[in-house]
Amino acid sequence: MKRWLSAAAVLVLAGALAGCGAGASGGTEAKDPAASAASGSGEVKKIIVGTGTGFPKVCFIDENGKLTGFDVELVREIDQRLEEYEFEFQTQEFSNLLLSLETKKIDFVAHEMEKNPERSEKYLFNKEPYAHWRNKIIVAKDNNTIHSLDDLKGKKVLTSPTSAEAQILENYNKEHNNAIEIVYQNGAANDTVSQITSGRVAATLGADFSLSLIDPQGKLKTTGEELSEADILFVFRKDDPEAQKLADAIDEAIKELKADGTLSKLSKEWLGEDFTSDN
C-alpha cells in the first residue's frame, strides 16, 4: 500500500516559483521511494500535484506543520487507489497554479477549481465532480445595502487573481464599463475578513461552503441570489494524451470514493456538510 511521508518532509522551498503575499513559499511533499515498489506490477509514474496552503479546511498547513485539508486528503485517497501512479504535492500561490500547469511544472491542480467556459477553453477537466458549489456575494454582517452585483458599482471588491470569482467580476465589468473596482489579492483568509469589516473593501465573492471556513467568528454574511454554480474538478493540460489517461483514472477512483461513502465523509469532516453533489 502506498503511503505519504511524515509532516517533517512536507515542504521544500521551490525558488523557481516565488510567490507574493501571505503564505507565499512553495514546496513539495514527497513520498518514500519504497512506496513505488509496492505492487510489483510495473513502473509507477510520479505525478506532481499543485495545490496551495492558504485555503482553510481545503489546502492549508495545520498546527503540526502538515499539509492537509479536503482537497489534499482527497488526493491522498485517490493515490491509494491508483497503484500505477505516485502523487507528490507541490505547494504554490493559487495565482501560480495554472501557469505551472501550462509550463509542465505540475501535472494537475487540486484547489477547488470551478469549471467554467473560460477555463474550459484552455484546460482539461476530469469528468467526475468531487464537489459542487454556488457563488454568492459576501459582505460585513451589518451591511444591509448590498444584494447584487449592481449594488457593487463604484465599490471595491476583493478577489484572487485567476479565480472563478474574479472571472464573474471581470465579465460584469466588460458589460458595465468597469463599474466595479476589483482588488486582486493573494492574502490569507483572516485578511479578507479584516479588509471587509474595516471598510477597505465592500465585499468579496465566495462559494457557499467557504464562508464558515474563512470567517469562523461570524463577522461576515452572504447576500443576494447565487451568482453562479459549478462542478468542482481537477485541472489538467489540454491536448495531452498522458493527462487524459490520468484524468480518466482519477474519474474511476472518484466514482469508487462516491460509491463507498468516502467522498461524502471527507466533505463532512473538512467542510462541515456534504458538498459533493448538486442536490
Side-chain angles (χ1 to χ4, degrees):
M1 202 65 164
K2 295 188 289 183
R3 61 187 177 85
W4 297 81
L5 277 181
S6 64
V10 168
L11 295 178
V12 176
L13 291 179
L17 283 168
C20 56
S25 61
T28 57
E29 180 188 73
K31 293 186 288 182
D32 189 333
S36 300
S39 66
S41 59
E43 185 178 351
V44 175
K45 183 177 178 61
K46 179 176 285 189
I47 298 297
I48 305 300
V49 186
T51 193
T53 61
F55 197 157
K57 301 295 185 179
V58 171
C59 47
F60 69 106
I61 306 298
D62 69 11
E63 64 274 13
N64 299 313
K66 178 186 177 184
L67 177 65
T68 190
F70 175 61
D71 280 42
V72 173
E73 299 307 328
L74 172 58
V75 169
R76 288 179 173 141
E77 285 284 350
I78 293 171
D79 188 30
Q80 295 297 328
R81 298 173 189 235
L82 299 179
E83 291 296 327
E84 67 272 35
Y85 294 109
E86 177 188 356
F87 291 175
E88 178 181 305
F89 282 110
Q90 183 177 113
T91 57
Q92 302 175 10
E93 286 286 358
F94 175 79
S95 58
N96 287 334
L97 288 169
L98 292 177
L99 177 60
S100 292
L101 182 65
E102 293 173 17
T103 55
K104 299 186 178 182
K105 292 182 174 67
I106 59 176
D107 296 304
F108 74 92
V109 178
H111 199 299
E112 289 292 308
M113 299 295 284
E114 175 182 325
K115 184 177 182 179
N116 60 32
E118 291 82 8
R119 285 176 175 165
S120 297
E121 288 182 4
K122 295 183 66 176
Y123 306 104
L124 170 70
F125 288 81
N126 65 299
K127 295 182 175 65
E128 193 71 23
Y130 65 89
H132 188 88
W133 73 15
R134 296 164 176 83
N135 282 306
K136 299 188 76 174
I137 299 170
I138 296 173
V139 297
K141 200 166 187 178
D142 60 357
N143 187 316
N144 297 311
T145 62
I146 295 173
H147 306 286
S148 69
L149 290 177
D150 288 337
D151 295 331
L152 295 173
K153 288 180 178 179
K155 295 180 172 62
K156 293 181 178 180
V157 180
L158 194 66
T159 192
S160 298
T162 76
S163 67
E165 292 81 8
Q167 193 69 61
I168 292 172
L169 294 168
E170 290 161 1
N171 288 345
Y172 182 89
N173 270 355
K174 287 177 184 177
E175 298 177 1
H176 297 86
N177 196 29
N178 293 318
I180 296 173
E181 185 176 346
I182 303 174
V183 179
Y184 296 99
Q185 180 197 355
N186 283 319
N190 59 353
D191 188 52
T192 297
V193 175
S194 66
Q195 290 234 44
I196 294 174
T197 55
S198 68
R200 293 198 297 274
V201 299
T204 188
L205 307 186
D208 47 7
F209 73 83
S210 68
L211 184 57
S212 63
L213 307 184
I214 68 171
D215 177 36
Q217 295 182 337
K219 296 181 179 180
L220 309 178
K221 67 179 180 181
T222 59
T223 184
E225 300 295 322
E226 63 186 50
L227 303 174
S228 68
E229 61 176 309
D231 289 331
I232 304 303
L233 302 139
F234 298 118
V235 189
F236 307 78
R237 280 185 295 278
K238 204 168 188 177
D239 301 320
D240 182 328
E242 287 299 316
Q244 184 65 67
K245 181 181 177 182
L246 174 60
D248 292 343
I250 287 176
D251 277 332
E252 292 306 310
I254 293 174
K255 289 176 183 177
E256 290 180 9
L257 290 162
K258 287 182 176 179
D260 66 19
T262 302
L263 185 60
S264 175
K265 180 181 177 182
L266 284 171
S267 180
K268 291 174 182 177
E269 175 184 353
W270 289 103
L271 307 180
E273 296 180 39
D274 187 354
F275 291 100
T276 63
S277 72
D278 57 3
N279 296 330

